Amino acid sequence: MMMNIHWLKAVVDFGILGLLALMGFLALWAYFERLLFFRRVDLRRYRHREELQIDLTKRVDLIASIGSSAPYVGLLGTVLGILITFYLLGQTRQMDAGSIMSSLALALKATAMGLVVAIPSMLFYNHLSRKIEVLLGRWEVLQNDAA
């Protein structure tokens, strides 16, 4: 069983934190991709609001999903890390307070990483949502001017 615990520890250390790193990278990539698209979008080429809205909102849901789920992924890593710590404490019965505290602190790194990914992702999402509103408003002004 000790081998399974070390496997689980590796899953927490590399799997959960790796997943959070991937989620952070994807959120950052989608954010900058959308900003670049917004800078070059030609509002005059769209005849229907829905068509423009579809193009403007691509990948914005990815950022929102990452922002809302990253804390839960981090929490999962923390819970698993705490379970590992308690299991090892029960098996060895010789862990000193320093070892226990350092193991618990390391378990909390997953929650911290989840928040590090989630907070910027939600800021990105809110920023892009406002830019989408502005671009849709500019499109409506162009439509009114053309009529």
Side-chain angles (χ1 to χ4, degrees):
M1 185 67 172
M2 194 67 105
M3 194 69 90
N4 291 336
I5 282 297
H6 292 297
W7 178 83
L8 188 58
K9 190 173 187 330
V11 166
V12 171
D13 285 343
F14 299 108
I16 299 291
L17 296 179
L19 178 60
L20 287 167
L22 176 64
M23 291 168 73
F25 172 78
L26 288 174
L28 196 60
W29 169 80
Y31 176 68
F32 284 115
E33 186 277 332
R34 290 287 82 195
L35 287 180
L36 292 173
F37 176 76
F38 292 167
R39 288 184 78 184
R40 70 178 192 273
V41 68
D42 182 9
L43 298 176
R44 294 176 298 234
R45 88 170 185 88
Y46 292 92
R47 298 185 58 191
H48 302 284
R49 178 185 169 90
E50 291 79 15
E51 182 185 6
L52 174 61
Q53 192 166 4
I54 288 168
D55 282 352
L56 292 177
T57 58
K58 282 181 185 169
R59 287 182 273 289
V60 174
D61 58 337
L62 172 67
I63 297 169
S65 296
I66 289 170
S68 63
S69 63
Y72 296 111
V73 173
L75 184 60
L76 173 64
T78 297
V79 168
L80 292 174
I82 291 170
L83 284 172
I84 292 166
T85 300
F86 286 147
Y87 179 82
L88 291 175
L89 178 62
Q91 292 297 311
T92 61
R93 297 181 189 158
Q94 294 178 354
M95 289 181 83
D96 59 76
S99 296
I100 294 169
M101 292 303 131
S102 64
S103 291
L104 293 176
L106 290 175
L108 290 171
K109 72 184 172 194
T111 296
M113 283 297 298
L115 294 173
V116 164
V117 170
I119 293 168
S121 295
M122 293 313 298
L123 292 172
F124 296 162
Y125 173 77
N126 290 332
H127 183 242
L128 293 177
S129 293
R130 178 62 186 143
K131 285 201 162 291
I132 290 167
E133 287 177 13
V134 168
L135 288 169
L136 288 171
R138 287 185 181 155
W139 179 84
E140 288 180 11
V141 168
L142 286 173
Q143 295 304 305
N144 290 337
D145 288 347

